[in-house]
Amino acid sequence: QVQLVESGGGLVQAGGSLRLSCAVSGRTFSSANMGWFRQAPGKEREFVAADSWSVRSTYYADSVKGRFTISRDNAKNTVYLQMNSLKPEDTAVYSCAAVWREDLIPRPTHFDYWGQGTQVTVSS
């Protein structure tokens, strides 16, 4: 079974930083395309960042570009989201997602497996 488990969320002041982690098991991690998404109360889930093994590139939403960085450690089967210069509007439940296919499309319907999510709250 493919499992994704996020960690690292919490409460942080505006301007602060957090690093989210997502541990992946059940399938070869190095060949996975990984994504981070977030969902605030009353809003749709939105794309945040993605790392593509298949096309060897990273993708970021305009709202986080320059502040967030996605990375992975294949030895640890873990993908990270480093979040700097956090803003109150970044407050949301952050979920990691995985898909094993040759392309990557930065929208939720493209991803097959999801973690349970971790809450990030940024105070003003």
Side-chain angles (χ1 to χ4, degrees):
Q1 301 181 42
V2 175
Q3 291 186 319
L4 287 71
V5 181
E6 302 99 330
S7 62
L11 176 65
V12 65
Q13 293 180 325
S17 298
L18 285 173
R19 188 178 75 161
L20 306 183
S21 300
C22 176
V24 180
S25 63
R27 199 166 176 178
T28 303
F29 175 74
S30 59
S31 60
N33 292 335
M34 301 297 304
W36 285 97
F37 296 80
R38 66 187 183 186
Q39 187 169 26
K43 296 184 178 180
E44 296 293 319
R45 180 171 291 173
E46 65 173 340
F47 168 76
V48 176
D51 176 75
S52 173
W53 160 80
S54 59
V55 299
R56 294 180 171 87
S57 186
T58 56
Y59 304 85
Y60 296 94
D62 289 341
S63 60
V64 306
K65 195 172 298 182
R67 299 188 297 121
F68 291 10
T69 303
I70 187 171
S71 63
R72 69 167 74 198
D73 186 338
N74 287 334
K76 297 181 178 180
N77 288 359
T78 300
V79 64
Y80 303 96
L81 184 68
Q82 179 66 47
M83 305 185 294
N84 298 326
S85 301
L86 283 162
K87 306 174 181 179
E89 51 262 45
D90 295 319
T91 296
V93 174
Y94 285 72
S95 300
C96 65
V99 60
W100 280 264
R101 60 178 296 164
E102 299 303 314
D103 59 345
L104 186 146
I105 302 173
R107 59 174 183 255
T109 54
H110 181 73
F111 291 83
D112 298 317
Y113 302 96
W114 293 82
Q116 81 287 354
T118 185
Q119 177 70 47
V120 172
T121 302
V122 184
S123 62
S124 60

